[in-house]
Amino acid sequence: MSKRVHNIFFHLHTVSSIVISVGLFVIFFAGAFTLFYHPVLSWEQGAPVDEGDTNASVYKTDYNQVMDSLAAKGYDMYGRSMYTNEKHPGRFQTFYVYGSVDTLANEEAQHSFNFVLDKETYQIKEEKQQEGLGDLLYELHFFYQLGQYGYYLSGLVSLFFLFALVTGIVVHWKKIVSNFFVFRPKTQIKTVWTDAHTALGVIGIPFQFLYALTGSMFGLGIVIGLVGSIAHDGDMDKFYDVLYGEEYRQISLGDKVDVTTFDYNAYKEKAENRWTGFKTEYVSFRNLGSTSQQFSLSGSGQIKDNFLSSGEVVYNMYTGKVLHEHDPTHTEYNDAVWGAVFRLHYAEFGNIETLSHYLIKTLYFLMAILTSFVIISGVLIWLTARNKRNIPEKRRKYNEGIGHIYLAVCLTLLPITAISFIVTRLIPGSLLEHKESIINYVFFLGWLMLSLFFWRKKDNYLTNKFALLSTGYIGLTIPIFNGLSSGNWIWLTFTKDIQIFVVDLLWFLLSGLCLFIASKIKRRKPNDLNKISTISKLIEEEKYKSNSHLQRVQNKEPVLAIKPNQIN
């Protein structure tokens, strides 16, 4: 590769990385917790595990009893749709109920609501549709607080990340192996950050490429729809019908019947036994309480037999007729592409609620945190490389200001996330109806205030040290607050509810990592800085002299002849 081409790729890598650095850091840090979305939701609910059970995840849902409980509560289910997720079974299960499609239904029947089912007592507790900290981090991962455009923005950031990753590999290709084994912690700070950036970047290349590619596909799915619609005269809905199957669900509402007359458990058992080794993930109902009532069950087969297997069956419960069937043993091209993207992005490689499942997700979590560090080290390399005498003072000040903003915004995300977890546990029952507002104010307002404070301090060492130490110490108290507020101590949840246990464990791991890194960060002594500055000045002076051929001939000595006594 010529020097010119190398410089082009180098600058493309640098510029593309700096432009997306803040957004990319937020995506990876929030994404690390998004991997444990359902465990975080269970952790937030704070319901104590039953000490009489060996494992709280053994509960199975009796849908006949669910419908009986709804009828006993007086809910008018005619024309409604209902949906639930069975991927993460536990004592408590959330159901999402949508308003009736009956045009003659009263205002209450047209109202959507959620309810939580206690599968031990089959008591139903309706709750307002409020988002917790798990939802906040999930949406932050996709920038969904900015609406649909935020989702597209996350896709663009992922696309630029893919671009930065490829150009980085091209730039460092010849030295990618040799530099991986080089780490010089006692040299110039730029060298330290460069060595760390290279080594950790190489370790995470497969993981980062995977997320750059799948994140781009998720975030920029609208582009696929626009391109695909061209083959259908610009009709995007028709394209999606072809891609995902016809709209068989659009069946008119039938005559009213008693919703409790159907045997829901029998239909579920029949659907699950349709394919060997099939595991239910989602259950939904449509046109409830009518002659056109539908039961839909979707899930996946044995991943070890077919990694991309996914299946679905839809019944008309009044007639028993199969309306739609997708066989998980036969994978079509569309299912293979999006199935692979989904499993790779969400680390769904095995049976849910097993040790191997959470070990894989924990590995993903640590790799996401490592990638966040790679992003920060890249910013610090950029800052250090542009703090030279040959760069105008005004431009140097501008670069430093950008660096202060980047580090303040990125690093303060760590402690404010830890604080938000504690606030979630401390919200009293009387304020639970305002839970979403409280968490949003604490998280976003706190993040803004911390970012502004450390931006004004303009001290990168202080920002790093505070972020790591505060996250470490606060994170260690999160399992304690969880135990005090809900009784779910980590030694109880280890055998009784792995979802709650894994959240506490993640904070122990993250806190330990932060405290370890913080212990290694030292502010450089003035003498060390002076020596490095003197060496740099001498090297720059000798390089300046080397530009004059006449000067080299007259001196008859090496260009970089620095005498030992000049350093002291």
Side-chain angles (χ1 to χ4, degrees), residues 214-511:
T214 57
S216 300
M217 294 182 69
F218 275 130
L220 298 178
I222 184 66
V223 177
I224 298 174
L226 290 172
V227 175
S229 65
I230 296 175
H232 301 279
D233 300 323
D235 189 343
M236 195 181 300
D237 292 333
K238 190 173 182 180
F239 166 71
Y240 282 125
D241 287 347
V242 174
L243 184 64
Y244 297 112
E246 297 180 3
E247 289 297 323
Y248 55 86
R249 298 177 181 85
Q250 298 297 336
I251 299 176
S252 58
L253 184 63
D255 295 331
K256 190 171 185 177
V257 295
D258 188 351
V259 73
T260 62
T261 59
F262 300 99
D263 190 345
Y264 298 89
N265 294 335
Y267 271 98
K268 184 172 183 289
E269 184 179 355
K270 181 166 62 173
E272 289 178 328
N273 293 335
R274 206 169 178 84
W275 303 288
T276 304
F278 187 77
K279 183 176 178 61
T280 302
E281 294 177 353
Y282 304 99
V283 175
S284 62
F285 308 89
R286 193 182 182 94
N287 291 351
L288 282 166
S290 74
T291 55
S292 61
Q293 177 170 314
Q294 296 177 16
F295 172 86
S296 174
L297 184 145
S298 60
S300 60
Q302 291 290 338
I303 294 179
K304 63 180 181 180
D305 298 329
N306 187 351
F307 177 68
L308 304 175
S309 66
S310 62
E312 182 182 27
V313 60
V314 181
Y315 293 97
N316 180 310
M317 297 188 71
Y318 189 76
T319 64
K321 181 182 177 181
V322 175
L323 300 177
H324 170 78
E325 179 182 8
H326 177 70
D327 191 342
T329 60
H330 295 86
T331 305
E332 298 179 359
Y333 176 76
N334 295 331
D335 301 319
V337 172
W338 289 105
V341 169
F342 178 84
R343 291 196 184 280
L344 290 172
H345 196 84
Y346 289 99
E348 300 289 352
F349 298 124
N351 294 326
I352 306 298
E353 301 298 322
T354 61
L355 181 60
S356 61
H357 172 74
Y358 284 115
L359 284 175
I360 292 172
K361 282 189 174 282
T362 302
L363 178 61
Y364 264 58
F365 179 88
L366 294 175
M367 290 301 293
I369 298 299
L370 180 146
T371 303
S372 300
F373 179 80
V374 171
I375 296 167
I376 290 295
S377 62
V379 173
L380 292 169
I381 292 170
W382 179 81
L383 282 174
T384 310
R386 278 151 185 78
N387 188 22
K388 295 180 179 178
R389 286 200 317 165
N390 61 339
I391 297 177
E393 182 70 18
K394 185 176 180 180
R395 191 173 170 186
R396 271 193 288 171
K397 292 291 184 183
Y398 175 79
N399 292 336
E400 287 179 4
I402 293 294
H404 294 320
I405 294 173
Y406 279 14
L407 290 180
V409 173
C410 291
L411 292 176
T412 53
L413 182 59
L414 279 71
I416 200 62
T417 301
I419 291 170
S420 298
F421 267 85
I422 291 179
V423 170
T424 301
R425 300 271 18 92
L426 295 180
I427 297 176
S430 59
L431 295 177
L432 282 179
E433 59 180 335
H434 305 293
K435 175 183 176 181
E436 182 178 346
S437 299
I438 293 172
I439 293 175
N440 281 327
Y441 275 117
V442 169
F443 187 89
F444 289 108
L445 188 59
W447 188 14
L448 176 63
M449 292 176 65
L450 285 174
S451 299
L452 290 174
F453 175 80
F454 285 102
W455 169 60
R456 295 293 298 172
K457 295 295 290 185
K458 300 186 186 305
D459 187 338
N460 291 340
Y461 170 81
L462 178 64
T463 305
N464 273 284
K465 200 75 170 180
F466 170 83
L468 294 171
L469 285 177
S470 59
T471 304
Y473 289 129
I474 296 172
L476 289 176
T477 65
I478 289 175
I480 299 174
F481 277 101
N482 183 36
L484 290 173
S485 60
S486 66
N488 290 332
W489 296 100
I490 194 167
W491 55 84
L492 295 176
T493 58
F494 176 68
T495 56
K496 295 176 172 55
D497 197 322
I498 193 171
Q499 292 192 72
I500 298 175
F501 167 78
V502 76
V503 176
D504 288 338
L505 179 63
L506 287 177
W507 275 110
F508 275 128
L509 291 174
L510 183 58
S511 299

Side-chain angles (χ1 to χ4, degrees), residues 5-21 24 160-172 194 197-198 201 205 208 374-375 377-379 381-382 386:
V5 174
H6 177 274
N7 288 339
I8 290 174
F9 274 102
F10 179 81
H11 289 299
L12 286 173
H13 174 71
T14 303
V15 173
S16 59
S17 300
I18 290 298
V19 168
I20 65 172
S21 58
L24 196 61
F160 274 98
F161 179 47
L162 183 63
F163 183 73
L165 191 63
V166 172
T167 53
I169 293 173
V170 171
V171 168
H172 299 291
T194 301
H197 184 78
T198 303
I205 282 176
Q208 293 157 15
V374 171
I375 296 167
S377 62
V379 173
I381 292 170
W382 179 81
R386 278 151 185 78

Side-chain angles (χ1 to χ4, degrees), residues 33-45 83-89 94 96 134-135 138 281-282 342 346 348 352-353 357-358 361 497 499-500 502-503:
F33 287 95
T34 298
L35 290 166
F36 297 90
Y37 173 73
H38 289 283
V40 170
L41 292 185
S42 297
W43 189 91
E44 283 186 86
Q45 287 179 351
Y83 159 85
T84 188
N85 183 344
E86 280 201 358
K87 290 178 68 175
H88 300 270
T94 302
Y96 306 90
D135 298 289
Y138 179 83
E281 294 177 353
Y282 304 99
F342 178 84
Y346 289 99
E348 300 289 352
I352 306 298
E353 301 298 322
H357 172 74
Y358 284 115
K361 282 189 174 282
D497 197 322
Q499 292 192 72
I500 298 175
V502 76
V503 176

